[in-house]
Amino acid sequence: MPPIAVAEKKTNGGNGKAKLLSKKTLTAQQKEAIKQLGRDKLIGMFRAMNLIRSFERRCEQMYQQRKIGGFLHLYMGQEALAGGMLSAIHSDDYVTTSYRDHGIALALGISPNVLMAELFGKVTGVSRGKGGSMHFFSKEYNLLGGHGIVGGQIPIGLGAAFRAKYLGTDQVSLIFLGDGAVNQGSFHECLNMASIWKLPAIFIIENNQYGMGTSVRRSTSVQDMTLKAQGYGMEGITVDGMNLLDCYMVVRDAVKTRRKRPSPLLVEAKTYRYRGHSISDPGTYRAKEEIENYHKVDPILQVRRLLQELDWLDDESAKALEKEVRKEVDDAVTFAEESPLPDPSERERHVYAP
Ligand SMILES: Cc1ncc(C[n+]2csc(CCOP(=O)(O)OP(=O)(O)O)c2C)c(N)n1
Ligand SMILES: [Mg+2]
C-alpha cells in the first residue's frame, strides 16, 4: 500500500493577499520557469490572456445587443488558469471543462472566429451553432466539451484518461471543474476510479469562491479542497489561480512524470470571477470591497507588470498587443455576423436519441 500523499501547500493565492508577480519577489522556481519559457512564449501566454479578456468583454456587448442569446458564463478573472495550465500540455492531450468554457477554448488556440460564430448560433461555429456558449467541442483540439451539467464533464475526462492508459499513449487528461462540482457524486466516483486504476487524470478545481450565488463557505464542508484527494490516496496541490507562472508550473511538473508513469492528481486553483455567475446575474451577493481586492491581483495586470520589469515589454508594445487582440475579436464578430445560420435540414443531424 503506497503512503497516502499529504496535500502540499504551494501558495496562499486567491484570497486577495497573494504575493503579486514582481521581479523583486520571484521565487527560485518562478525565475527558473521564466528562463525556461523565454520572452516569446511568456508574451504569447500574456497575449492569450488578453485575448480571453477582450473576447469576453465583446461577448457581454453582443449579448446586450441581442446578437447572442441563451446562457453566457464569462471567464474574466480566471485567465491565468487557462493561459498558464494549457501552455504546459501537448496538443494531443485531452481537455474537458464546464459551461464556463470560453477561456479554455481560446487558450487551446481555437480560433475566436469559430467560437464567436458558435455564440451567434451560426453553422460555422465550433459546434455547428448547436451548442452555444456552454458547449464548445473540438475534435481537432481534443476539447471534449463544454458541459452544462455540473460535474458532468468529470466522467468524460476520466474516460479519456482511461483510454490513454489502456492504449499506452503518453497523453494526459486535464479535467477542469468548478468548486460547486466537488459536491457532486461524479467527482468522488471519478477520483476513486482514477486512483485505483492509476490514470493520467489531472483534476483541476477552478475555485472561484462561488457556485452561482452561494459562497463555498456555505456550500462545502471542508474549505481546503486538496484534502479530498487524501481520501482517495491521491496527491493534492493548492495553487494561486491568479498567478500565471504558478498555474503553468503546477501542470508542467504534473505531466512531466505522469506521461511515463500515469497517476492522478488533484489541483485546487484559488481564483475569482469578476462578473456574476452568468450574464443575467448582477452578483449582488458579493461585497464591493471583495471584488475590488481581487482587481488588485488581476492576473493580466500582474503579468504585464512583470514583463515590463523584465524589460520584455514596454508601454507602447503592450498597447500595440492589446490593439491587435481587439482587432482579432472584431474580426471574429464580423465573421460570426457574416456566417449563415444552419440550414433547417440540420435540425435533426447530430442529435442523439436512444
Ligand atoms: C447537476 C446540476 N445541478 C445544478 C445545476 C445548476 N447550476 C448551474 S451552474 C451551478 C453552480 C456551479 O458552480 P461551480 O461549479 O463553482 O462553477 P462556476 O460557475 O463557479 O464556474 C449550478 C448549481 C446544473 N447545471 N447541473
Ligand atoms: Mg465556482
Side-chain angles (χ1 to χ4, degrees):
M1 175 70 183
I4 290 173
V6 175
E8 183 192 333
K9 288 271 147 280
K10 281 208 95 169
T11 71
N12 66 342
N15 58 6
K17 292 184 196 130
K19 242 190 202 160
L20 289 171
L21 272 179
S22 164
K23 207 174 153 187
K24 285 175 231 114
T25 55
L26 288 174
T27 63
Q29 290 94 327
Q30 289 171 335
K31 280 185 192 159
E32 182 265 336
I34 292 172
K35 221 167 130 189
Q36 179 217 351
L37 286 164
R39 179 180 181 274
D40 290 354
K41 176 125 189 194
L42 195 54
I43 289 185
M45 288 159 76
F46 175 64
R47 191 184 190 285
M49 292 168 84
N50 272 283
L51 180 63
I52 298 171
R53 183 74 56 97
S54 193
F55 186 90
E56 297 294 60
R57 284 205 178 112
R58 209 61 212 275
C59 286
E60 259 179 336
Q61 290 171 353
M62 293 296 103
Y63 200 92
Q64 278 146 10
Q65 291 177 25
R66 297 175 185 239
K67 300 253 170 80
I68 300 175
F71 289 99
L72 187 73
H73 305 88
L74 301 171
Y75 201 71
M76 279 180 256
Q78 302 182 208
E79 295 91 345
L81 261 144
M85 294 185 179
L86 297 174
S87 297
I89 60 167
H90 296 166
S91 58
D92 66 345
D93 289 329
Y94 294 104
V95 177
T96 11
T97 188
S98 71
Y99 46 82
R100 202 176 295 285
D101 56 1
H102 303 185
I104 301 282
L106 286 164
L108 278 172
I110 302 180
S111 150
N113 287 11
V114 299
L115 300 180
M116 195 59 87
E118 186 58 40
L119 298 173
F120 277 52
K122 301 297 183 76
V123 72
T124 51
V126 74
S127 303
R128 300 178 67 83
K130 292 180 181 178
S133 166
M134 302 201 287
H135 307 109
F136 288 171
F137 279 76
S138 171
K139 197 173 166 192
E140 190 187 343
Y141 287 85
N142 273 1
L143 173 61
L144 307 176
H147 294 266
I149 304 297
V150 171
Q153 73 276 28
I154 311 173
I156 293 168
L158 185 86
F162 180 84
R163 179 188 188 275
K165 173 122 186 197
Y166 186 74
L167 296 179
T169 73
D170 70 351
Q171 293 158 294
V172 295
S173 177
L174 261 54
I175 305 162
F176 290 89
L177 56 128
D179 44 277
V182 302
N183 301 317
Q184 287 288 75
S186 62
F187 172 77
H188 298 273
E189 292 168 38
C190 290
L191 256 66
N192 185 53
M193 282 188 197
S195 189
I196 284 196
W197 292 335
K198 298 217 171 331
L199 302 182
I202 304 183
F203 302 92
I204 300 159
I205 305 168
E206 299 197 58
N207 183 356
N208 60 13
Q209 326 289 328
Y210 293 88
M212 297 184 94
T214 307
S215 152
V216 279
R217 287 186 295 280
R218 296 181 64 212
S219 68
T220 303
S221 55
V222 175
Q223 295 302 301
D224 180 350
M225 297 191 180
T226 58
L227 291 176
K228 294 174 196 289
Q230 292 187 27
Y232 298 100
M234 185 186 297
E235 195 188 341
I237 300 179
T238 310
V239 67
D240 176 359
M242 307 299 268
N243 184 315
L244 180 79
L245 290 178
D246 288 358
C247 287
Y248 166 73
M249 291 189 295
V250 76
V251 173
R252 178 200 62 185
D253 297 345
V255 299
K256 207 183 287 170
T257 48
R258 282 175 176 81
R259 290 196 187 283
K260 283 211 178 76
R261 266 177 294 110
S263 71
L265 172 71
L266 179 67
V267 176
E268 179 191 5
K270 303 228 182 208
T271 183
Y272 199 72
R273 60 165 155 74
Y274 287 147
R275 295 295 191 266
H277 166 71
S278 74
I279 190 93
S280 49
D281 168 21
T284 44
Y285 45 86
R286 305 188 300 186
K288 211 172 130 211
E289 196 195 2
E290 178 184 295
I291 302 171
E292 280 167 8
N293 275 341
Y294 280 101
H295 275 293
K296 289 183 194 146
V297 294
D298 185 316
I300 299 183
L301 294 182
Q302 287 196 56
V303 183
R304 183 177 168 154
R305 201 185 57 185
L306 176 69
L307 285 167
Q308 288 181 324
E309 285 177 358
L310 292 167
D311 276 333
W312 282 357
L313 191 79
D314 57 22
D315 257 345
E316 208 178 305
S317 37
K319 280 195 188 118
L321 182 144
E322 283 159 9
K323 202 172 153 195
E324 201 183 285
V325 160
R326 277 199 303 274
K327 162 94 173 56
E328 205 176 330
V329 176
D330 286 347
D331 291 347
V333 169
T334 308
F335 175 83
E337 269 175 335
E338 290 175 356
S339 290
L341 285 165
D343 188 86
S345 66
E346 281 265 323
R347 200 180 44 199
E348 287 173 22
R349 275 188 78 208
H350 306 118
V351 176
Y352 175 66

